[in-house]
């Protein structure tokens, strides 16, 4: 048996930073990442055979809990018939039909293999359809790692941004305007100045990549109205929120219809599936119908699609989201009460099966407010919970995820651990 530390050492020799996606390296909390050997329901086990209650949930997809037997069986059955054909299949048509039936804003969709591909394609589609170059995004929202989206806000309200990653030439983000989340005034100003050149506004309609931040009343409605008025495409990036906050994503909860929607995570049930979909007239710009190019060797992969279809069937059962939301609230209410009892500044928020924990007095509404939290307190909480067998996301800027298998006993075990941890933090 190798320890996590031994594996991490070994990993660092063959993989940059020892991980295949940066947040897994524990850089923002310090310490050694747990190397996961297996997972079942609400639990993951590391290579040292330590069991953890898991609130990462593969960063969103594991809404049914890990390794749900029906999803695993669907994957097994599909794999027996071949892993990939590079030709169309009945199952991908079924997946497209299920998604279109569940999300009223989708007339058509194209399957891809990740959220990054979905958002990259949505942006290209918006630009191709409008013939405009500029895009608007919001500070703290993450839409994957394609060049034009790796940008930090400029120094002035309406100055175009700078790359947030080395290797992205400044010209590549020179068309990307990054505005403050929940500031409709900033979006109004952007449209007043650049309206005729703005191809699209892309937004996480509930933000889950700067911890959890909900849209302020009127914010999403305002985006809808401004985009319609100026002929820009409104893109809801529901990669994280789609089928996570409710049966129809944020668009179902708010009744706001975006022009394009990006999906991934839950729709693949733990396998690589993403999608971009929306208005038929926009989707008609995609190759082979139109001039906007997009393709993928493994797009609509039969094994991944089988996992997605099984997942969507199971989460479509009556009462699923009511139970999920109730369990999530049991967690966040319980944590808040225990922090309060210990006198720790702490707030929590939740929507569907997604939650945010903040080491500050109130729930934040912007990236600036999230950044104002007590990161040291979060780090102490994170490590002390890990010691007690509870695995939260290893960063103060990530949302957490509850699955259908986080029953009362699992949540209460988490709360017992938290009570001891908060008391220790106070001491
Ligand atoms: C809202 C959102 N969009 C896009 C992405 C990128 O998805 P992927 O990691 O599948 O490329 C993520 C990933 O966390 C996300 O949360």
């Amino acid at each position: 048996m190798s320890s996590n530390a031994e594996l991490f050492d070994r990993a660092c020799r063959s993989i940059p930073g020892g991980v295949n996606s940066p947040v897994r390296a524990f850089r923002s909390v310090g310490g050694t990442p747990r190397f996961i050997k297996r997972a079942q329901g609400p639990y993951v086990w590391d290579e040292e055979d330590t069991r953890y209650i898991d609130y990462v949930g593969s960063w969103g997809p594991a809404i049914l809990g890990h390794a749900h037997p029906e999803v695993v069986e669907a994957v097994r059955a599909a794999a027996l018939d071949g892993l990939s054909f590079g030709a169309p299949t009945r199952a991908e048509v079924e997946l497209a039909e299920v998604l279109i039936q569940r999300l009223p804003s989708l007339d058509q969709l194209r399957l891809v293999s990740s959220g990054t591909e979905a958002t990259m394609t949505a942006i290209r589609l918006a630009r191709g359809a409008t013939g405009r170059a500029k895009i608007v995004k919001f500070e703290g929202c993450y839409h994957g790692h394609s060049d034009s989206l790796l940008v930090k806000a400029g120094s002035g309200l309406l100055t175009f941004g700078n790359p947030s990653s080395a290797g992205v030439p400044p010209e590549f983000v020179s068309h990307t305007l990054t505005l403050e989340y929940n500031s409709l005034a900033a979006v109004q100003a952007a449209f007043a100045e650049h309206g005729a050149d703005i191809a699209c506004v892309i937004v996480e309609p509930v933000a889950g990549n700067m911890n959890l931040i909900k849209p302020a009343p009127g914010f999403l409605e305002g985006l809808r109205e401004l985009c319609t008025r100026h002929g820009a495409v409104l893109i809801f990036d529901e990669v994280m929120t789609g089928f996570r906050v409710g049966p129809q994503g944020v668009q179902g909860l708010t009744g706001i219809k975006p022009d394009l929607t990006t999906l991934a995570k839950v729709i693949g049930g733990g396998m690589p599936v993403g999608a971009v979909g929306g208005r038929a007239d926009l989707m008609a710009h995609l190759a082979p119908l139109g001039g906007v190019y997009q393709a993928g060797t493994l797009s609509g992969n039969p094994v991944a699609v089988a996992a997605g279809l099984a997942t969507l069937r199971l989460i479509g059962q009556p009462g699923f989201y009511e139970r999920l939301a109730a369990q999530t609230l049991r967690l966040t209410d319980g944590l808040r009460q225990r922090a309060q009892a210990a006198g720790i500044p702490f707030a929590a928020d939740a929507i569907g099966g997604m939650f945010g924990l903040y080491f500050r007095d109130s729930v934040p509404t912007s990236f600036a407010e999230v950044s104002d939290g007590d990161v040291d307190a979060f780090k102490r909480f994170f490590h002390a919970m890990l010691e007690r067998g509870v695995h939260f996301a290893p960063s103060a800027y990530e949302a957490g995820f509850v699955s259908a298998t986080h029953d009362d006993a699992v949540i209460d075990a988490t709360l017992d651990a938290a009570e001891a941890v908060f008391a220790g933090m106070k001491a």
Side-chain angles (χ1 to χ4, degrees), residues 317-333:
Q317 290 170 355
F320 180 86
Y321 284 96
E322 286 77 3
R323 281 194 301 278
L324 185 69
Q327 292 311 97
T328 312
L329 276 184
R330 186 182 183 96
L331 174 72
T332 50
D333 286 348

Side-chain angles (χ1 to χ4, degrees), residues 107-124:
D107 297 329
Q108 285 203 321
L109 64 85
R110 166 73 47 91
L111 294 178
V112 294
S113 299
S114 68
T116 294
E117 282 176 81
T119 55
M120 187 180 74
T121 303
I123 301 269
R124 186 176 301 149

Side-chain angles (χ1 to χ4, degrees), residues 114-117 119 142-145 204 209 237 239-240 264-265:
S114 68
T116 294
E117 282 176 81
T119 55
Y142 175 68
H143 305 290
H145 62 280
E204 284 185 73
N209 285 286
D237 180 358
V239 162
M240 188 180 282
K265 298 192 190 268

Side-chain angles (χ1 to χ4, degrees), residues 260-284:
L260 291 177
T261 299
T262 52
L263 298 163
K265 298 192 190 268
V266 169
I267 67 162
M271 299 287 281
V273 179
V276 52
R279 274 171 33 202
D281 63 306
L282 291 173
M283 296 304 291

Side-chain angles (χ1 to χ4, degrees), residues 36-313:
I36 304 305
K37 186 157 77 173
R38 69 190 175 93
Q40 186 67 58
Y43 301 114
V44 293
W45 283 261
D46 70 8
E47 288 280 349
E48 298 174 16
D49 281 327
T50 306
R51 189 188 79 174
Y52 301 90
I53 298 172
D54 180 32
Y55 290 101
V56 179
S58 185
W59 302 98
I63 194 164
L64 292 166
H66 293 286
H68 188 289
E70 287 182 44
V71 179
V72 172
E73 178 49 32
V75 165
R76 200 188 68 86
L80 288 176
D81 284 337
L83 300 181
S84 173
F85 317 125
T89 62
R90 176 198 300 266
E92 61 197 301
V93 181
E94 284 171 10
L95 182 56
E97 287 171 351
V98 170
L99 293 170
I100 289 167
Q101 190 225 330
R102 301 237 183 133
L103 297 190
S105 75
L106 306 186
D107 297 329
Q108 285 203 321
L109 64 85
R110 166 73 47 91
L111 294 178
V112 294
S113 299
S114 68
T116 294
E117 282 176 81
T119 55
M120 187 180 74
T121 303
I123 301 269
R124 186 176 301 149
L125 197 45
R127 284 174 161 157
T130 59
R132 302 172 180 179
K134 296 193 192 317
I135 64 177
V136 171
K137 76 177 284 288
F138 297 94
E139 197 173 18
C141 286
Y142 175 68
H143 305 290
H145 62 280
S146 66
D147 284 343
S148 67
L149 292 165
L150 287 181
V151 54
K152 46 180 183 258
S155 49
L157 184 61
L158 289 183
T159 41
F160 286 82
N162 299 306
S164 59
S165 163
V168 178
E171 306 83 60
F172 284 33
V173 296
S174 63
H175 295 296
T176 309
L177 198 53
T178 307
L179 306 177
E180 189 185 328
Y181 194 76
N182 274 335
S183 172
L184 200 53
V187 189
Q188 278 158 348
F191 272 104
E193 178 95 6
H194 301 288
D197 301 322
I198 295 175
C200 65
V201 173
I202 184 166
V203 65
E204 284 185 73
V206 166
N209 285 286
M210 47 174 160
N211 211 318
L212 174 77
I213 296 201
K214 289 181 181 166
F219 179 59
L220 297 176
E221 289 81 354
L223 297 184
R224 177 64 281 174
E225 197 273 315
L226 283 164
C227 285
T228 304
R229 178 144 41 104
H230 293 272
V233 175
L234 178 61
I235 304 170
F236 273 11
D237 180 358
E238 298 228 46
V239 162
M240 188 180 282
T241 55
F243 302 100
R244 173 46 79 178
V245 301
Q248 298 180 314
V250 180
Q251 49 197 276
L253 298 178
T254 59
I256 299 168
K257 224 171 153 181
D259 302 304
L260 291 177
T261 299
T262 52
L263 298 163
K265 298 192 190 268
V266 169
I267 67 162
M271 299 287 281
V273 179
V276 52
R279 274 171 33 202
D281 63 306
L282 291 173
M283 296 304 291
H285 285 270
L286 269 188
L289 294 180
V292 176
Y293 193 68
Q294 184 280 332
T297 299
L298 293 178
S299 291
N301 173 268
V303 183
V305 163
L309 276 171
T311 301
L312 286 163
R313 190 175 62 246

